[in-house]
Amino acid sequence: MPRILIAEDDPDVRSFLEDELTNAGFTVTAVDNGADAVVAAVEQSYDLYLLDMLMPGLDGIQTIRVLKKVTPDVPIIGLTGYVGLGYMAQAAAYGVICLAKPVVISDLIREINDAIASRTVS
Amino acid sequence: MAAEENAYWSKSSGNKPRDNVTRRDAREISHLVLIADDDPYLRSILRRMLEGQGHRVEEAVNGAQCVEVFGQLKPDVILLDVMMPVMDGFAACARLRQLPGGDKVPIVMISVLDDHQSVTRAFEVGATDYMTKPLNVQILLNRVHYMLSAMRTERLISRAKKEWEATFDAVADLIVLTDLNGLIVRCNRATVERLGVKFVDILGRPIKEVLLRDLETKELGITISGREVELPSLGGCFAISVYPIHVQDSLDGLVYVMRDITERKQMEAQILASQKLADLGTLAAGIAHEINSPLQVITGVSQTLLDRHASGTLDAERLQKGLITIHRSGWRCAEIVRALRTYAHASATELVATDLNEVVRDTLLLVENQLRSWDNIKITTELGENLPTLHCDRNQMAQLLINLLTNARDAMPNGGTIVIRTSYDPARQSILLSVSDTGVGIPEDVKDKIFDPFFTTKPPGQGTGLGLAIVAGIIRAHHGEISLQTGVGKGTTFTVMLPQEYSGLPSSSERDIISSDSGGRA
C-alpha cells in the first residue's frame, strides 16, 4: 500500500485530501507545514509527497529543495491555489508537477499513481 | 615741462586719489608695451619710463617688424610711430587691425604730423589715440595707463559676459528675460532650441505669445511663479519661476525660468501606477489562492458525495459531514468576495460611511495568505466597541492599514507581534487607529524623513519609499493626523487620528443609501 505524505496548511483542504486518498487506498500522513513534512520524511519513508505551495515557514518550493536533497528519489506533486506567480515553473525546475486548485480528485489520484509507477519502473 | 608734470601729478594726487589706486593696480599686473619707432633715442626714453611703471617693453624698428612682433607676442598696447622705413605707421596700423586679436589692441600713433589729414587718416586706419611730437612723455604714460586699465576692464567685462552667457546657455531650463511689457529681450539656448527658432525671430515679441500661449490671458508675471503648468504648445509640463530684475532700485524686467518637468511627472505617475499594479497583482494572486482552497473542498467533497450517492454507499453521517464542509467553504468564498468591496470602490477619496473595524477585519482577511507567510509574526487586534461611523474612503483606509502592517513587518526581521487597535476619542471627536510593532524602532535622525516620498531605509529594490508617504497622503485627504511613539529597540506605534466629521461629507441621503447597502449580510 503506497505511503503518501501530505503537507497542507488549510485544515479543510487537508482533511479532504486525507479522506479521499485514504479512501483511494493510500496510507496517508498529513502535516500542516513544510518543516514538519521534512521531519516526517526523514523519520519514515514515503512513496510520494503531496505539497501545498504556500505554507507558513518553509513554503512549497523551499520544502521541495530540502526534500530533493534528503530523499531525491521520492516523487513530489505540488498543489497551488496561486495562478501566475511562477510556482509551477519553479517547481518544474525540480521535476515537480504542480497542479492548480481546485483539482479533480480522480485526476489527482491518477497523477499520484503515474508518479509512483514511473519511479518503480526507473 | 617738468613744472607741467609736477602740476599734473599734484592735481591728480590731490583730487583723484582713486586714480592712484587704479594706477597701482595696473602696475601690479605687468603689461607688455610694444614700441615701434625708428628713433633709438626715443625708444630708449620710452622704455625707461614704461619699465619704471612696471611694464615690460618690446621694440620694433619699423612697421613690418611691429606687425611681426605683434603676431608673436600679442602686446597689450602699441606705441606706433608714423614715419618709419619699410612700412610706415598707417600701413602697419591697418595691417594690425586685420590680424587675429589686432582689432582690440590699443594703438597710440605718434607723429610730427599734426595736420588735419594725417590725424584723420590715423583714426581711419584704426588708431586708438594720436599724439604729436615733440612728445610730452608724461601725458603719453597717463594715456597708456588709462588705455590699459580701460582694456583690462573691458576684458573683465567681456570675460564675465562670456562666462555668464556660457552658463546661461548651458542651463537646460528655458530662461527668458522680458521687459516690463512682457516683451522678450533675451533668452538662452535651451529656449530657442525648444522653440526651434532663431533668437532674432522672438526678440521683442511678447512672451505670452511665444511661450505661454496656453495660459489664461490674465496669468502672467510674478503671479505665475511657482506654478506647474501643462503647456501643450511646448509639448510638456513646466515648473515656472519668475524673478524680478531690479536696475538701480527700480523694477526693470522679469526673468522667467521654465523647468521641463514632463519626465519627472511621467516617472512619478509610472511609479505610482506600478506600485498600484504590484499591489493589484499581489492582491489578485492572493485572492485566487484564498478562493481556490475552499473551492477545492467544495468541488472535491461534492464530487465524492455524488459518486457515493450513485453507487449507493452514501450514509447519512457522511452526507451531513460533507454538506457542513461544503457550506462552510462556500461562506468562506463569500466572505472573501465581500471583503473585496473594500477595494472595489476604486475612485479616489470617495467618502463612505464606514465601520473602521470592518475595514480592519476585511483587510486582514484579504491579506491573510500573505500574513501567513510572514515568519514568526503574530497579529492581534484590539478593536474598540461601538465606534461611531467614520466617513472615509474604504479603499484608502485599507491601503493605509496594509502599508502600516508592511512597515511593521519590515521593522521586525526576527519576528514579533503587531497589535492593531481602534478606539474613539470623544474629546477630539476622532477615531483612533494604531498599529504597534515590537521591532527595531526608528532612530531619531530618521524620524522626520519617514513620511517623505522615496525615503527608505531598505536596500535597493526592497522598498519603494512610498509606503508611509501614501499613508501620509491618505491621512491628509481625510483631514487626520498621524503621530508615532518609537525608540530604538523599543518598537514603534503609529497612531492615526481621523476626525469623525469634517466638511465635505456626503449628503444624508447618500449616507442612507450607503448604510442600507452595507447592511446586506449579517
Side-chain angles (χ1 to χ4, degrees):
Chain A
M1 202 174 285
R3 307 177 66 90
I4 295 182
L5 174 63
I6 299 174
E8 161 68 75
D9 65 323
D10 187 305
D12 281 343
V13 178
R14 187 173 62 245
S15 73
F16 161 73
L17 290 173
E18 214 175 342
D19 284 357
E20 294 296 333
L21 296 184
T22 306
N23 286 337
F26 298 104
T27 303
V28 178
T29 305
V31 296
D32 66 359
N33 66 74
D36 284 355
V38 173
V39 172
V42 172
E43 282 175 349
Q44 202 178 346
S45 74
Y46 292 91
D47 296 292
L48 183 134
Y49 307 127
L50 182 61
L51 306 176
D52 184 28
M53 285 293 115
L54 189 89
M55 291 184 291
L58 284 187
D59 69 9
I61 296 296
Q62 288 170 316
T63 309
I64 287 173
R65 260 183 226 133
V66 179
L67 288 176
K68 279 292 174 190
K69 220 173 260 179
V70 182
T71 55
D73 295 334
V74 179
I76 302 175
I77 291 176
L79 280 179
T80 179
Y82 268 123
V83 278
L85 275 196
Y87 278 130
M88 292 195 182
Q90 260 183 296
Y94 289 90
V96 173
I97 300 165
C98 212
L99 304 176
K101 288 181 192 171
V103 67
V104 176
I105 198 71
S106 54
D107 290 349
L108 176 63
I109 290 168
R110 195 174 57 243
E111 290 285 351
I112 291 173
N113 284 328
D114 285 356
I116 292 173
S118 68
R119 184 204 176 189
T120 319
V121 169
S122 65
Chain B
M1 182 148 167
E4 219 177 294
E5 274 180 45
N6 286 339
Y8 181 88
W9 284 112
S10 60
K11 190 182 164 196
S12 164
S13 59
N15 298 340
K16 294 185 173 176
R18 283 189 54 178
D19 275 9
N20 279 345
V21 174
T22 317
R23 219 168 69 90
R24 215 178 301 127
D25 289 348
R27 209 181 301 165
E28 277 163 15
I29 299 160
S30 172
H31 290 96
L32 179 62
V33 182
L34 172 58
I35 305 166
D37 201 307
D38 57 342
D39 177 353
Y41 175 68
L42 186 61
R43 287 206 304 271
S44 84
I45 291 179
L46 287 173
R47 172 186 278 275
R48 220 164 352 116
M49 301 288 283
L50 288 162
E51 283 177 346
Q53 299 271 307
H55 300 306
R56 289 170 292 129
V57 175
E58 281 294 328
E59 296 177 23
V61 298
N62 59 51
Q65 203 180 34
C66 172
V67 170
E68 194 190 328
V69 173
F70 175 82
Q72 291 162 358
L73 300 174
K74 293 279 182 308
D76 298 297
V77 65
I78 299 171
L79 307 181
L80 183 61
D81 187 23
V82 171
M83 312 278 268
M84 286 186 294
V86 187
M87 183 191 274
D88 71 10
F90 294 130
C93 186
R95 184 84 189 79
L96 284 168
R97 290 304 186 211
Q98 307 291 320
L99 297 177
D103 55 334
K104 291 220 173 71
V105 65
I107 300 175
V108 183
M109 293 195 76
I110 300 163
S111 176
V112 288
L113 306 170
D114 63 351
D115 58 296
H116 177 74
Q117 263 187 335
S118 301
V119 175
T120 307
R121 181 149 180 239
F123 287 108
E124 274 171 4
V125 295
T128 313
D129 202 349
Y130 191 89
M131 292 186 72
T132 51
K133 291 178 182 175
L135 213 50
N136 181 328
V137 177
Q138 199 55 59
I139 293 178
L140 176 68
L141 284 179
N142 277 287
R143 289 202 178 164
V144 165
H145 159 70
Y146 168 77
M147 278 175 193
L148 285 171
S149 82
M151 185 197 65
R152 229 153 46 86
T153 310
E154 195 192 310
R155 275 189 193 167
L156 282 176
I157 291 171
S158 135
R159 186 196 166 103
K161 184 170 181 281
K162 279 198 182 120
E163 286 172 350
W164 181 76
E165 280 175 351
T167 310
F168 191 58
D169 281 335
V171 176
D173 296 350
L174 314 191
I175 306 178
V176 182
L177 278 62
T178 71
D179 64 13
L180 288 177
N181 298 316
L183 303 179
I184 294 171
V185 293
R186 194 186 276 277
C187 72
N188 67 345
R189 183 175 299 159
T191 309
V192 293
E193 279 176 2
R194 183 75 182 211
L195 290 168
V197 297
K198 290 203 173 83
F199 174 60
V200 289
D201 299 335
I202 58 170
L203 174 65
R205 285 182 54 201
I207 187 170
K208 169 79 192 128
E209 258 174 41
V210 176
L211 285 155
L212 304 174
R213 75 181 91 126
D214 299 307
L215 296 181
E216 299 283 323
T217 318
K218 58 187 174 187
E219 295 176 319
L220 211 61
I222 299 287
T223 53
I224 61 166
S225 196
R227 290 257 305 272
E228 291 184 357
V229 288
E230 192 66 43
L231 298 174
S233 62
L234 293 179
C237 185
F238 287 81
I240 304 181
S241 307
V242 185
Y243 306 93
I245 306 172
H246 290 286
V247 177
Q248 285 157 1
D249 290 340
S250 70
L251 185 63
D252 191 65
L254 294 173
V255 186
Y256 288 77
V257 180
M258 300 169 55
R259 172 161 298 179
D260 188 344
I261 54 168
T262 317
E263 222 166 279
R264 196 192 84 201
K265 284 268 170 194
Q266 277 168 357
M267 217 167 71
E268 281 174 5
Q270 268 170 16
I271 287 167
L272 284 175
S274 70
Q275 164 92 355
K276 231 176 199 168
L277 272 183
D279 288 351
L280 206 65
T282 316
L283 189 68
I287 291 162
H289 179 268
E290 288 299 304
I291 291 184
N292 279 335
S293 287
L295 282 181
Q296 174 69 73
V297 176
I298 292 168
T299 54
V301 174
S302 57
Q303 184 64 51
T304 307
L305 295 181
L306 285 170
D307 291 349
R308 283 184 178 269
H309 178 65
S311 62
T313 55
L314 183 60
D315 56 74
E317 190 196 344
R318 192 177 283 275
L319 176 63
Q320 195 194 10
K321 195 182 154 217
L323 286 176
I324 288 171
T325 309
I326 291 170
H327 182 82
R328 188 172 59 230
S329 298
W331 273 119
R332 222 177 105 193
C333 290
E335 268 302 309
I336 292 157
V337 172
R338 198 181 65 82
L340 272 176
R341 285 186 10 175
T342 309
Y343 287 88
H345 296 281
S347 70
T349 51
E350 184 188 352
L351 300 178
V352 175
T354 303
D355 176 0
L356 193 62
N357 287 343
E358 195 181 288
V359 174
V360 173
R361 280 192 291 263
D362 285 355
T363 305
L364 286 178
L365 188 66
L366 268 183
V367 296
E368 198 186 349
N369 68 83
Q370 280 159 279
L371 301 186
R372 248 186 276 151
S373 64
W374 292 4
D375 285 340
N376 308 319
I377 290 179
K378 202 179 144 213
I379 299 184
T380 61
T381 54
E382 295 173 14
L383 304 182
E385 282 174 19
N386 303 320
L387 283 193
T389 304
L390 175 71
H391 288 88
C392 67
D393 185 312
R394 296 171 61 101
N395 195 5
Q396 292 191 349
M397 280 300 138
Q399 180 80 61
L400 179 150
L401 184 58
I402 288 173
N403 288 9
L404 287 178
L405 285 175
T406 309
N407 199 65
R409 174 200 60 184
D410 294 342
M412 301 190 292
N414 301 317
T417 305
I418 299 175
V419 185
I420 305 169
R421 294 184 185 87
T422 58
S423 61
Y424 181 61
D425 179 352
R428 286 188 286 186
Q429 297 200 319
S430 293
I431 293 171
L432 304 179
L433 166 69
S434 74
V435 175
S436 303
D437 65 57
T438 54
V440 293
I442 301 169
E444 197 61 35
D445 58 327
V446 170
K447 248 170 97 172
D448 293 340
K449 298 181 201 147
I450 55 169
F451 293 107
D452 292 352
F454 305 111
F455 176 80
T456 180
T457 56
K458 293 165 203 170
Q462 288 187 26
T464 58
L466 281 175
L468 287 178
I470 288 170
V471 166
I474 292 170
I475 292 166
R476 257 198 313 278
H478 288 83
H479 301 252
E481 285 171 26
I482 187 164
S483 59
L484 72 152
Q485 296 89 49
T486 184
V488 172
K490 291 177 186 165
T492 304
T493 297
F494 284 95
T495 304
V496 180
M497 191 190 84
L498 298 159
Q500 191 192 343
E501 300 275 341
Y502 65 90
S503 58
L505 292 179
S507 67
S508 59
S509 60
E510 251 179 295
R511 251 180 278 170
D512 290 345
I513 293 166
I514 289 157
S515 52
S516 67
D517 178 43
S518 61
R521 197 188 68 83

